Amino acid sequence: MIRLSTGIPDFDKLIEGGIPQGFFVALTGEPGTGKTIFSLHFIAQGLKEGDNCIYVTTEESRDSIIRQAKQFNWDFEEYMEKKLIIIDALMKEKEDEWSLTELTPEELVNKVIEAKQRLGQGRARLVIDSVSALFLDKPAMARKISYYLKRVLNKWKFTIYATSQYAITTSQAFGFGVEHVADGIIRFRRAIKDGMLHRYVLIEKMRQTNHDKYVWEIDIKPGKGIVLLGKLNERREDYALPQKVMQKIKETNENNKIE
């Protein structure tokens, strides 16, 4: 099996060397937990290895993604139009050919395929950050839309990261459908302890892989990116969702089934 490095060597060790080629991997979690930077690692590694890379940004501008990459010593501008295309789906203005004025699953897929054709043949990595923007106003469609993306893009032999926002106040609606169709699920969490923000990551699912089952604390270092600090040696209650939130998730899921 061919595996693609995540760009984080210590994380690769947790999944037998990397993401299986052709997988659709969901990166789920609240805002600020590290999903975008984790995705930038994936793209930076792909550029290093000569892969064709496409990054779809729905919540930040293209310039913002490029600036973030520079914070970790990744010069994306050097590869633009050669090995990298960043599709800007945030501004909703026709600034150039790689901007989306309408964010729909069909328009996104068409633009991604156009970008792949422009970059040419070869192994390809794709990040959709975030896929939640496609169904925030229609969460019941999450699974259908996610399946459509996976089915169509799989024909183009992409290895895909799809970030999914997870807002506690609105339960699991933003990411529920994505997780059902994903080949892998990497969940990001955060907590405030002693007045300080702590971030965590857990590999909940990775098909065809004997993956690590522990929660790991992570940090984001300037000039380096995400680093693993160590396994979480605490009670489950210290990082699990509150009981009230779990009940709300259960009720929401049951209502979606009824609908």
Side-chain angles (χ1 to χ4, degrees), residues 2-4 19-25 42 50-54 109 112-113 115-117 119-127 148-161 183:
I2 298 175
R3 293 180 181 270
L4 278 61
I19 306 291
Q21 185 171 333
F23 268 28
F24 183 103
V25 178
F42 186 63
D51 295 346
N52 292 322
C53 298
I54 300 170
V109 164
V112 166
I113 292 173
K116 176 63 169 64
Q117 292 173 325
L119 293 174
Q121 297 182 348
R123 197 167 69 180
R125 300 182 183 218
L126 169 65
V127 170
Y148 166 75
L149 293 175
K150 180 181 179 180
R151 177 173 55 83
V152 176
L153 294 174
N154 183 257
K155 297 176 183 179
W156 292 84
K157 302 188 184 304
F158 284 108
T159 301
I160 303 171
Y161 276 7
D183 300 299

Side-chain angles (χ1 to χ4, degrees), residues 9 27 29 36 43 61 69 90 98 114 189 191 215 225 232 246 248:
L27 310 182
T36 293
I43 293 297
S61 67
L90 170 70
W98 303 119
E114 182 184 343
R189 295 169 172 160
V215 175
L232 188 65
M246 293 299 294
K248 183 172 177 60

Side-chain angles (χ1 to χ4, degrees), residues 31-255:
T33 49
K35 300 185 301 298
T36 293
I37 296 174
F38 194 86
S39 299
L40 295 178
H41 271 281
F42 186 63
I43 293 297
Q45 184 66 26
L47 296 174
K48 182 179 178 181
E49 296 183 15
D51 295 346
N52 292 322
C53 298
I54 300 170
Y55 197 109
V56 180
T57 174
T58 67
E59 298 178 355
E60 297 183 55
S61 67
R62 181 186 298 119
D63 290 342
S64 176
I65 292 298
I66 292 173
R67 285 195 299 270
Q68 277 200 67
K70 284 183 177 178
Q71 288 182 303
F72 307 106
N73 298 321
W74 302 318
D75 187 1
F76 281 6
E77 289 180 301
E78 176 186 348
Y79 297 92
M80 294 292 285
E81 302 288 338
K82 301 169 187 174
K83 282 292 182 180
L84 171 65
I85 290 177
I86 300 177
I87 298 172
D88 192 329
L90 170 70
M91 304 310 292
K92 305 293 178 64
E93 298 176 2
K94 193 65 177 178
E95 296 184 348
D96 54 43
E97 64 178 318
W98 303 119
S99 298
L100 283 180
T101 55
E102 184 178 0
L103 183 58
T104 65
E106 294 76 18
E107 289 297 320
L108 186 150
V109 164
N110 289 339
K111 188 60 70 173
V112 166
I113 292 173
E114 182 184 343
K116 176 63 169 64
Q117 292 173 325
R118 179 70 60 85
L119 293 174
Q121 297 182 348
R123 197 167 69 180
R125 300 182 183 218
L126 169 65
V127 170
I128 304 175
D129 183 19
S130 75
V131 71
S132 304
L134 293 169
F135 41 74
L136 284 178
D137 59 342
K138 43 184 178 295
M141 296 290 289
R143 188 187 302 191
K144 182 177 181 180
I145 291 173
S146 300
Y147 176 73
Y148 166 75
L149 293 175
K150 180 181 179 180
R151 177 173 55 83
V152 176
L153 294 174
N154 183 257
K155 297 176 183 179
W156 292 84
K157 302 188 184 304
F158 284 108
T159 301
I160 303 171
Y161 276 7
T163 72
S164 174
Q165 297 291 6
Y166 173 48
I168 287 181
T169 54
T170 50
S171 81
Q172 240 175 348
F174 294 170
F176 197 59
V178 181
E179 295 176 7
H180 269 283
V181 305
D183 300 299
I185 302 172
I186 302 174
R187 189 176 299 278
F188 294 79
R189 295 169 172 160
R190 67 181 181 183
I192 305 296
K193 296 183 180 180
D194 299 322
M196 181 179 293
L197 174 66
H198 293 259
R199 297 182 176 93
Y200 308 97
V201 66
L202 170 67
I203 304 159
E204 292 195 348
K205 171 184 175 182
M206 193 64 65
R207 289 175 177 155
Q208 303 170 37
T209 304
N210 181 24
H211 62 83
D212 183 89
K213 309 299 191 301
Y214 289 91
V215 175
W216 287 75
E217 184 168 5
I218 60 175
D219 198 6
I220 299 171
K221 302 285 189 182
K224 191 170 183 179
I226 290 179
V227 296
L228 273 63
L229 300 180
K231 297 177 184 177
L232 188 65
N233 296 314
E234 298 181 7
R235 301 172 304 158
R236 182 178 182 277
E237 290 78 5
D238 290 331
Y239 57 85
L241 295 175
Q243 186 60 39
K244 289 183 179 179
V245 176
M246 293 299 294
Q247 182 61 33
K248 183 172 177 60
I249 290 174
K250 182 178 179 181
E251 292 172 358
T252 301
N253 291 339
E254 289 176 351
N255 291 336

